[in-house]
Amino acid sequence: METNREELIKQLKALDQQLEEIDKDTVKFSVDAGIIDRLGRELVGRQETAVAELVKNAYDADATEVVLTFKNTDLAGGSLTIEDNGHGMDRNAIKNGFMRLSSTSKIHNPVSPKFNRKRAGRKGIGRFATQRLGEKLIITTQTADSPTALRVVINWNDYNIDTDINLISNEISEVPKEKPHGTTLNIEPIREGWTYAEIQRVFRYVSDLLQPSYLSDRLKNSKIIFGVQDEDSFSVVCRKQINAEIEIINDIDKSFFDKSLAVFQGYIDDNWDGYCSVESKSLEIDSLDSLREISAGRDRKEVEKFKYVKNVHFKAYYYIYNRAEYYLHDGIGISSTELKKVNDFSKTSSGIRLYRNGFRVAPYGEAGDDWLGLDEKVNMASHSRRVPLSNRNLFGFVEIVDIEGSLFEETSSREGLLQNAAFEELVDFLAKSFESCRNIVESSIGFLEKKAKREQHKSEDKTQSDFETIEDFFNANEDTDKQNTSSQKEKAQQALENIKQTLNRELGETAMLRVLAGIGLSIGEFVHEIRQFNPIFQSEIAVLSKYADADTLKDSINGLSQNFEQFRTYAAYFDETIRNNLKRELVPIDIRIVVRDFLAIIKRTADKNQVNIETFFHGYDLFTCPMHPSEWSSILFNLYSNANKATIKARVSAKILIQVKEENSRIVFEFCDNGTGIEDIHKNKIFNAFFTTSTPAGRNASQNEELIGSGLGLKIVSDIIESYEGEIFVSNPPDGFKTCIRIELPKATDEQIKEQINDDLFSA
Amino acid sequence: MMTYFLLDDNTVGQSDSILRKINLSENFKITPIQLTSWESDLIKIKEIFPKADGIILDWRLYEGNQPSGITYSAESLAQHIRFLVNDKQIKRDVPVVLCSANPDFTSSYERDGTGHDLFLKVYSKDDFSGDSENVVRELNALSEAFQQIQNSKLSDWFQTPADVNIDSRLKNELGDLIDKKIPHNIVKFILCEIILIPGILIEEDTLAARLGIDKSESSDWTVLRENILTPRFVYKGILSKGWSRYWADGLINWWKTTINEKHPQYYSADERVEMLKNKTKLSNLVAAKKLPFCLSNDFWAICEATRQPIDPSDGLRIQSNTLRAWQEERYLSLSSILDRKSKGIKLNPIEKDRLEYLKNLAKENGQK
């Protein structure tokens, strides 16, 4: 057989030469085998693309399941197997399809025979992707009709340069069938090792090759099947095998999409008009109400139609991390743990993907890709950090229906679309739409927060409407047609009265604050001066103590001594506080220390009143963002004083619980007591100025008595906390306690903490 | 009657009040002297020195804005005293110490280091008016030390036990100082480099740690200490009346001859205590437990903040001047640092990375 073959080849060569002699005025193309390298390794840049092409081929072959097995692929030399249950290939299909470069079979048969699937690849050079992956390719394929399977062995190393491609042979043989129908590609030895992360990346890529769902009817109702990828129609299984052990690579759980904060959607319709909208239950945004037009042009006033692109749809799930409270609606929301999980997913699976005719186009939407310029914008602009719009916040895709292929063109390497005018317009539309959606969300969040605040500040609203009433009154005067009825005049007068009252109250608050500030300064000076008397009192008391004989005298001096101790501690505490006040520097506050110092101060009074105080610190380095050290004295004293009053009122054996922990880069400080509790209707009001449930001071009360229970305490505390972008609110108390005040403050950055600790522990 | 003079700008009346408590002590008195101006005060100083057993200067002299109008600092005064001594205008050198009413002062002064050498020690005014027995003991001891230096030989100063060897480098350095004949410097050296830093001498807490004993839990500790340890190797030398110490080598020698021939560091705290209970027949001795985050209970040192036993390998070295050959490192425990109870003690910068590492380890182990 060999000699026969050699003879035939010689004859072929001779015939060729003869033909050339005759056709002296013609030349023909020949193909050097090096083209394989060009089409394989050099053209297919990424391993994922290679594998994706092969999976697409399985799809085109009407497969419903494809199994990828990476065997011993940690280092080069392992194998990758791609098994599908498609229709398989007979000898003819192999010869004229697989083995023919730029085969036209997909052009002649644009849909698959069984499921009518639109062909995934049109360029017909996907097979060389295997050359990218490994040195040898073994195809084992069988059709339903054939009694046997065919086995082709292609050794890519045979395809060296300076060899005519026609002259390289590949072994084909008949083997027993492995299954009814389908193809198995066995690629080995693998050229490069695959890390676990790389396998995961491939799997993520191929498991999203097809659109997750239909966005438009056009695609759905097409006579040609543009597949969506779900378990019934087409599924991809990925396995990693080391020797005999097999591990299935799992995909992320997509059910969390149901819990997104908002869903952004948009499209350019058949009339070249662009729109976008937002849907969010927790933020009370309705997609119909929020519909916005997107203009193709730069002029913000006029809405221009799009020119190149139409019939594109997009849908994206939007998340803001660290703000689980935004998601709450009707008691259902997302837990901090779940939100953190989504955040972790977003590292690899977020972004906006692009599907053209149902098929994924790489690399849009992959980790690190920023084709819409979202991350770039975040880095540059002064975007609201409250409503971030980076790729990490979005999980979505764009659906382009371009059946004729007239709008967009994939590059040969299958890595991206050609950046023509249509593509640029698409990017522009999407970027503008997302920005619009972001704005809708931001205004909604702002509105909701204002609404919450408005409950506290009803007077502000009222004042606003009062101003409007008065304005209307004056404006109506100018209009000679409308005469002011006496009732309108009354309304205006009432409004004026209201405003006067509000103004008085605001002035009152300011005056009160000024008084307190003045007192504070005086106290500061006083405390500093009295310090010099400490050693004198201490010494004289000690002497008295030594010489006191009678019991009564002894008791009296004992009492004097102990109380003086307490006095000293108070004085020392405030002395330090005042001294800190003089330093205007903000420093990260170590909660452990401020609480400890505070407890040392109130210990005597607490013990005397039998107040049981427990503290729990969870974790270390519990530093708040830089604050004024003295502010924490205000906060703690205030909370303690309120708790004290509440427990006395409730006539219970007083218990106080202080818990400090870290959550989502915030320091959470909870102060709980078992006093009378706070009624629900008051929960938002207690932080208002002048809100107090204490009995007002009597007529003869001193200014001091007036100030205690003035209702300014919590307002001051709340102002302090909010000035650092923290929050304070009434939260649910643990068992055994009635009230829990929860303070959340941003945590100091790692650098700030390190600096603070270094200052404490290491000398300059 | 041991007499110290307190020099500051308070009126005598005010000072008398502050000192009334401490002046109740037996055989000890502090006499206040009011300072007014440089020239007249120098004369006063030369007058009181021969009568004084010691001098206390008030730091407030320096802080300015004093109604008294004093314009010079305690430091300048101390500096001048040094000069007078060196110049032999003052015949008999006595201890000069500093005190301040500012509660933060003592620790910040010690950190600062400038002017350090001018004063033997720094006290807070509270020390005088409050629990003053300690202060009286120390001031007494300082004064006696000066006398010893000037009136007896080196070989008598330390009362070194026969089985203890003094490092020759210490002997050399001490010898150099003695040659220079400045009592202040000699006493300062002994106080700061021998007494206050563990090495040749150790404190009671360290002693307990090296025996593996939890002092607070062991009701027989006092018995052990007073009946067995103190007679054998308590330090009785210069300054011992003010600072209670024990001979480190004395402990080892006693252990090896009485308890077990192997060095105590071979054994864990539990083992050491077992052996002690066996040999001394004292049953109420409890082994010390490891501090949180510590791995070993081969205790040999203490955490300077909590005073609890610690194995040096678990400890973080504190900041100090370069150690002399006979001195040992001092440590802080990780738990005292994390709990922010390290009392302003600074760490050796070399421990920066290790601290980070240990903190991360503690975090990872879920030690919250």
Side-chain angles (χ1 to χ4, degrees):
Chain A
M1 283 302 268
E2 274 302 306
T3 36
N4 216 4
R5 196 168 166 271
E6 276 173 28
E7 284 220 17
L8 281 170
I9 292 177
K10 267 204 212 142
Q11 284 180 21
L12 192 60
K13 274 197 178 152
L15 280 171
D16 252 337
Q17 269 183 335
Q18 283 181 21
L19 267 171
E20 262 191 52
E21 299 270 325
I22 298 173
D23 294 334
K24 267 215 192 86
D25 45 352
T26 58
V27 279
K28 281 190 276 206
F29 276 115
S30 59
V31 187
D32 185 290
I35 195 176
I36 300 298
D37 245 348
R38 216 116 294 131
L39 298 172
R41 259 193 299 194
E42 292 180 22
L43 192 58
V44 183
R46 296 132 48 92
Q47 300 195 96
E48 289 99 280
T49 321
V51 177
E53 281 309 306
L54 300 170
V55 173
K56 280 187 194 173
N57 285 345
Y59 175 79
D60 291 342
D62 281 326
T64 55
E65 186 185 68
V66 180
V67 180
L68 308 170
T69 307
F70 290 80
K71 188 165 174 197
N72 296 329
T73 48
D74 288 337
L75 300 171
S79 77
L80 168 59
T81 313
I82 304 174
E83 288 174 61
D84 71 61
N85 59 352
H87 51 53
M89 295 183 277
D90 56 14
R91 199 175 273 265
N92 201 30
I94 291 177
K95 185 158 174 282
N96 296 321
F98 193 88
M99 298 302 291
R100 190 163 173 82
L101 296 185
S102 260
S103 141
T104 53
S105 55
K106 288 196 181 171
I107 300 176
H108 290 312
N109 303 310
V111 295
S112 67
K114 186 167 170 195
F115 292 125
N116 256 3
R117 290 174 177 172
K118 169 84 175 159
R119 296 286 189 191
R122 268 159 44 108
K123 299 217 188 254
I125 44 181
R127 65 181 80 68
F128 296 112
T130 62
Q131 193 261 5
R132 165 82 175 79
L133 297 168
E135 291 179 30
K136 219 161 62 166
L137 169 65
I138 302 171
I139 311 166
T140 314
T141 180
Q142 53 256 302
T143 59
D145 299 334
S146 70
T148 54
L150 290 168
R151 184 167 178 272
V152 183
V153 179
I154 302 174
N155 196 331
W156 298 117
N157 290 334
D158 291 340
Y159 289 77
N160 299 317
I161 56 171
D162 295 329
T163 322
D164 200 324
I165 201 173
N166 291 322
L167 298 178
I168 301 177
S169 320
N170 306 283
E171 192 190 305
I172 181 169
S173 55
E174 282 186 15
V175 294
K177 271 172 112 162
E178 297 175 337
K179 48 192 170 183
H181 52 85
T183 304
T184 301
L185 303 177
N186 199 328
I187 304 168
E188 66 170 348
I190 296 290
R191 290 191 197 273
E192 299 161 15
W194 288 68
T195 64
Y196 193 82
E198 284 168 345
I199 298 179
Q200 272 188 319
R201 207 166 55 220
V202 162
F203 174 61
R204 269 201 305 274
Y205 183 62
V206 299
S207 61
D208 284 332
L209 266 186
L210 305 180
Q211 242 173 259
S213 58
Y214 292 112
L215 285 187
S216 70
D217 289 336
R218 200 155 177 269
L219 203 60
K220 198 199 265 181
N221 296 335
S222 166
K223 281 198 219 99
I224 301 166
I225 303 296
F226 292 90
V228 294
Q229 198 154 344
D230 60 41
E231 278 132 33
D232 299 328
S233 57
F234 181 67
S235 81
V236 180
V237 175
C238 186
R239 313 188 309 188
K240 183 176 191 298
Q241 186 173 347
I242 300 185
N243 299 323
E245 273 181 44
I246 300 182
E247 181 199 336
I248 310 248
I249 314 280
N250 282 316
D251 198 359
I252 54 170
D253 184 2
K254 298 230 172 68
S255 65
F256 68 73
F257 283 152
D258 296 336
K259 293 192 172 178
S260 62
L261 176 61
V263 181
F264 297 169
Q265 296 192 78
Y267 55 89
I268 302 178
D269 67 12
D270 216 24
N271 288 326
W272 310 96
D273 290 319
Y275 298 95
C276 74
S277 74
V278 179
E279 175 88 39
S280 167
K281 287 217 165 49
S282 59
L283 297 178
E284 297 177 13
I285 309 175
D286 176 65
S287 56
L288 281 176
D289 292 341
S290 64
L291 194 68
R292 298 268 169 95
E293 288 177 305
I294 302 289
S295 166
R298 304 186 75 137
D299 187 347
R300 307 285 272 280
K301 281 180 247 151
E302 284 220 23
V303 182
E304 281 180 41
K305 285 183 186 277
F306 287 86
K307 291 204 273 279
Y308 301 100
V309 177
K310 61 177 180 176
N311 293 318
V312 291
H313 286 68
F314 74 85
K315 179 173 182 174
Y317 297 94
Y318 177 67
Y319 292 85
I320 297 179
Y321 304 114
N322 293 339
R323 298 306 238 150
E325 62 271 21
Y326 284 166
Y327 296 68
L328 205 55
H329 172 76
D330 275 351
I332 309 174
I334 193 171
S335 74
S336 304
T337 327
E338 285 172 320
L339 196 51
K340 187 166 185 309
K341 251 201 198 156
V342 178
N343 198 355
D344 287 340
F345 282 149
S346 72
K347 289 183 196 148
T348 50
S349 309
S350 60
I352 304 295
R353 299 173 178 183
L354 179 57
Y355 288 89
R356 178 168 159 268
N357 298 333
F359 291 108
R360 176 98 180 269
V361 182
Y364 305 112
E366 304 217 344
D369 174 72
D370 187 25
W371 67 292
L372 299 174
L374 300 174
D375 292 342
E376 199 186 315
K377 207 166 179 187
V378 167
N379 286 335
M380 286 190 334
S382 55
H383 254 232
S384 161
R385 259 179 292 140
R386 227 171 29 159
V387 187
L389 189 72
S390 70
N391 284 302
R392 291 279 299 268
N393 300 96
L394 295 163
F395 295 79
F397 64 96
V398 182
E399 172 195 280
I400 308 175
V401 181
D402 176 30
I403 299 172
E404 296 77 30
S406 47
L407 283 180
F408 301 101
E409 198 62 32
E410 271 186 61
T411 60
S412 323
S413 57
R414 302 223 182 311
E415 283 157 19
L417 293 177
L418 292 174
Q419 294 208 311
N420 52 14
F423 185 75
E424 308 262 337
E425 197 172 63
L426 174 68
V427 172
D428 184 49
F429 164 67
L430 291 168
K432 283 178 179 162
S433 300
F434 282 122
E435 184 60 32
S436 226
C437 292
R438 194 202 76 87
N439 290 337
I440 296 172
V441 169
E442 179 164 35
S443 71
S444 191
I445 287 180
F447 177 74
L448 286 177
E449 283 183 353
K450 276 215 186 85
K451 210 169 102 172
K453 275 223 172 104
R454 215 175 294 152
E455 312 238 305
Q456 303 173 29
H457 294 146
K458 274 228 169 81
S459 53
E460 276 179 24
D461 263 13
K462 223 182 155 300
T463 310
Q464 185 62 29
S465 75
D466 285 335
F467 273 122
E468 279 165 16
T469 309
I470 295 178
E471 240 181 334
D472 287 345
F473 175 72
F474 279 111
N475 286 340
N477 258 338
E478 286 166 16
D479 189 340
T480 46
D481 283 344
K482 296 190 193 154
Q483 288 301 318
N484 263 317
T485 59
S486 56
S487 75
Q488 268 185 316
K489 209 176 184 173
E490 262 178 53
K491 265 202 209 150
Q493 269 175 341
Q494 182 61 41
L496 202 58
E497 209 30 62
N498 291 343
I499 292 177
K500 252 189 4 202
Q501 276 184 18
T502 309
L503 195 61
N504 276 333
R505 218 191 33 232
E506 296 285 328
L507 285 177
E509 179 184 333
T510 311
M512 193 88 102
L513 286 173
R514 208 169 21 230
V515 167
L516 286 174
I519 290 180
L521 286 175
S522 314
I523 290 177
E525 292 194 26
F526 167 71
V527 160
H528 190 71
E529 286 307 307
I530 62 174
R531 207 172 5 98
Q532 59 172 309
F533 293 100
N534 283 343
I536 297 176
F537 286 135
Q538 202 174 12
S539 173
E540 304 283 29
I541 290 174
V543 171
L544 282 174
S545 173
K546 178 151 185 186
Y547 286 121
D549 278 332
D551 277 338
T552 39
L553 198 54
K554 263 200 162 62
D555 287 340
S556 185
I557 293 176
N558 225 18
L560 180 59
S561 173
Q562 285 175 353
N563 281 302
F564 178 70
E565 259 318 295
Q566 184 62 24
F567 170 80
R568 254 172 39 110
T569 325
Y570 266 122
Y573 186 79
F574 282 109
D575 188 31
E576 170 138 356
T577 305
I578 302 298
R579 245 180 311 130
N580 280 332
N581 250 343
L582 300 179
K583 300 187 225 155
R584 273 125 159 273
E585 262 178 38
L586 302 180
V587 288
I589 303 292
D590 186 342
I591 300 287
R592 245 190 186 80
I593 292 188
V594 295
V595 171
R596 216 161 39 207
D597 286 349
F598 170 75
L599 290 179
I601 297 300
I602 53 152
K603 182 165 161 48
R604 267 196 64 72
T605 41
D607 285 346
K608 192 176 68 166
N609 296 331
Q610 293 177 316
V611 178
N612 175 271
I613 307 180
E614 278 189 308
T615 54
F616 292 105
F617 298 104
H618 302 278
Y620 297 104
D621 289 349
L622 300 167
F623 282 87
T624 67
C625 60
M627 290 174 71
H628 223 284
S630 57
E631 284 169 329
W632 268 96
S633 338
S634 310
I635 296 172
L636 289 168
F637 264 107
N638 220 283
L639 294 175
Y640 178 75
S641 145
N642 286 341
N644 220 12
K645 279 187 233 159
T647 49
I648 288 175
K649 237 187 193 167
R651 299 178 197 277
V652 289
S653 169
K655 280 198 302 170
I656 289 181
L657 171 67
I658 298 177
Q659 287 208 85
V660 187
K661 58 190 166 192
E662 184 195 330
E663 236 177 64
N664 294 334
S665 303
R666 303 190 116 201
I667 299 293
V668 173
F669 173 92
E670 286 179 336
F671 194 100
C672 313
D673 68 72
N674 64 341
T676 45
I678 301 177
E679 290 170 58
D680 281 346
I681 46 168
H682 290 155
K683 274 190 177 149
N684 284 329
K685 296 192 200 148
I686 58 170
F687 301 107
N688 289 355
F690 303 117
F691 178 89
T692 175
T693 55
S694 308
T695 317
R699 232 174 21 170
N700 296 324
S702 64
Q703 191 172 48
N704 213 34
E705 282 175 3
E706 271 192 37
L707 290 174
I708 302 171
S710 62
L712 275 181
L714 276 179
K715 166 132 190 14
I716 292 175
V717 169
S718 152
D719 280 349
I720 291 176
I721 306 251
E722 281 175 8
S723 74
Y724 293 107
E725 314 225 334
E727 280 172 63
I728 177 169
F729 51 91
V730 178
S731 148
N732 291 329
D735 284 337
F737 293 92
K738 280 282 178 57
T739 306
C740 177
I741 305 282
R742 182 173 161 120
I743 294 177
E744 291 186 16
L745 284 161
K747 186 178 180 200
T749 64
D750 285 341
E751 289 80 46
Q752 286 168 331
I753 294 179
K754 234 191 196 150
E755 208 187 302
Q756 195 62 26
I757 292 184
N758 278 346
D759 280 347
D760 286 341
L761 287 172
F762 299 99
S763 42
Chain B
M1 174 69 96
M2 181 83 70
T3 310
Y4 267 73
F5 285 88
L6 169 65
L7 308 178
D8 73 17
D9 59 340
N10 265 339
T11 62
V12 170
Q14 277 177 315
S15 295
D16 271 337
S17 277
I18 297 172
L19 297 171
R20 208 185 305 282
K21 163 92 191 328
I22 203 172
N23 280 338
L24 293 178
S25 319
E26 270 185 57
N27 289 327
F28 182 85
K29 192 170 73 149
I30 301 182
T31 304
I33 304 276
Q34 184 176 17
L35 299 172
T36 46
S37 73
W38 183 259
E39 288 76 19
S40 58
D41 294 337
L42 288 187
I43 298 172
K44 278 186 212 153
I45 287 181
K46 282 201 209 156
E47 276 173 7
I48 59 175
F49 240 94
K51 300 184 273 184
D53 292 306
I55 306 283
I56 307 170
L57 295 185
D58 187 328
W59 186 246
R60 210 172 78 131
L61 288 174
Y62 190 58
E63 275 178 355
N65 292 332
Q66 301 306 327
S68 56
I70 295 271
T71 52
Y72 63 87
S73 70
E75 259 184 77
S76 341
L77 191 51
Q79 191 78 273
H80 192 74
I81 292 175
R82 289 285 106 238
F83 161 72
L84 293 174
V85 170
N86 289 343
D87 202 38
K88 308 262 191 292
Q89 292 187 42
I90 290 179
K91 296 282 188 308
R92 203 176 110 245
D93 200 358
V94 296
V96 178
V97 301
L98 188 61
C99 85
S100 164
N102 184 334
D104 280 340
F105 181 81
T106 40
S107 44
S108 71
Y109 184 81
E110 262 154 29
R111 273 203 296 277
D112 187 22
T114 56
H116 232 170
D117 294 332
L118 294 170
F119 304 97
L120 283 174
K121 212 180 146 171
V122 182
Y123 293 98
S124 131
K125 273 258 173 77
D126 284 352
D127 291 334
F128 294 147
S129 48
D131 223 350
S132 51
E133 281 87 34
N134 243 7
V135 175
V136 172
R137 265 201 300 268
E138 287 181 7
L139 292 177
N140 265 323
L142 283 172
S143 197
E144 278 180 18
F146 268 68
Q147 288 170 24
Q148 259 183 304
I149 301 289
Q150 287 164 103
N151 298 332
S152 66
K153 289 183 300 182
L154 168 60
S155 47
D156 293 332
W157 293 354
F158 293 98
Q159 307 278 302
T160 319
D163 57 353
V164 169
N165 279 328
I166 305 281
D167 191 302
S168 57
R169 285 163 287 195
L170 170 56
K171 287 192 206 161
N172 287 340
E173 219 175 312
L174 207 45
D176 286 343
L177 281 172
I178 293 170
D179 287 342
K180 298 214 175 92
K181 296 202 175 84
I182 302 176
H184 173 92
N185 292 349
I186 300 171
V187 175
K188 178 100 184 158
F189 179 85
I190 296 174
L191 177 63
C192 296
E193 308 294 344
I194 302 176
I195 302 275
L196 293 180
I197 299 192
I200 298 180
L201 298 172
I202 54 175
E203 301 173 88
E204 182 182 330
D205 288 332
T206 311
L207 171 61
R210 291 186 180 184
L211 291 173
I213 292 177
D214 183 332
K215 271 173 51 183
S216 50
E217 296 286 314
S218 310
S219 49
D220 273 335
W221 165 251
T222 327
V223 177
L224 175 67
R225 188 190 68 210
E226 291 307 304
N227 296 355
I228 301 177
L229 307 177
T230 300
R232 269 292 257 116
F233 52 86
V234 73
Y235 171 67
K236 293 189 207 147
I238 190 172
L239 292 175
S240 61
K241 291 222 187 88
W243 288 266
S244 150
R245 293 290 185 272
Y246 295 83
W247 289 98
D249 279 349
L251 165 64
I252 311 290
N253 293 335
W254 166 79
W255 174 278
K256 282 188 176 170
T257 49
T258 320
I259 306 295
N260 186 292
E261 58 186 7
K262 271 196 171 169
H263 194 288
Q265 238 179 330
Y266 267 114
Y267 300 104
S268 71
D270 299 294
E271 289 166 333
R272 294 178 212 167
V273 170
E274 273 314 299
M275 288 188 244
L276 278 168
K277 281 157 79 167
N278 275 335
K279 290 291 168 94
T280 64
K281 305 287 180 250
L282 292 168
S283 49
N284 282 320
L285 294 174
V286 176
K289 303 250 179 331
K290 290 185 288 200
L291 288 167
F293 308 113
C294 289
L295 298 174
S296 153
N297 58 0
D298 292 345
F299 306 126
W300 200 247
I302 53 168
C303 161
E304 294 287 323
T306 60
R307 315 292 297 174
Q308 296 301 307
I310 194 171
D311 181 333
S313 63
D314 283 324
L316 291 127
R317 282 163 285 179
I318 70 172
Q319 165 81 313
S320 67
N321 297 327
T322 319
L323 287 183
R324 309 287 231 275
W326 61 88
Q327 293 173 333
E328 289 175 28
E329 294 273 11
R330 284 167 291 174
Y331 303 90
L332 273 180
S333 61
L334 180 65
S335 56
S336 70
I337 292 171
L338 289 177
D339 281 338
R340 315 289 265 125
K341 287 185 176 148
S342 50
K343 297 189 185 158
I345 300 174
K346 302 283 191 186
L347 286 178
N348 189 322
I350 229 178
E351 299 283 29
K352 249 192 200 157
D353 288 340
R354 184 153 164 256
L355 177 60
E356 268 312 297
Y357 168 72
L358 287 172
K359 278 171 79 173
N360 287 334
L361 210 58
K363 247 189 253 178
E364 269 171 43
N365 292 339
Q367 303 265 11
K368 288 193 163 234

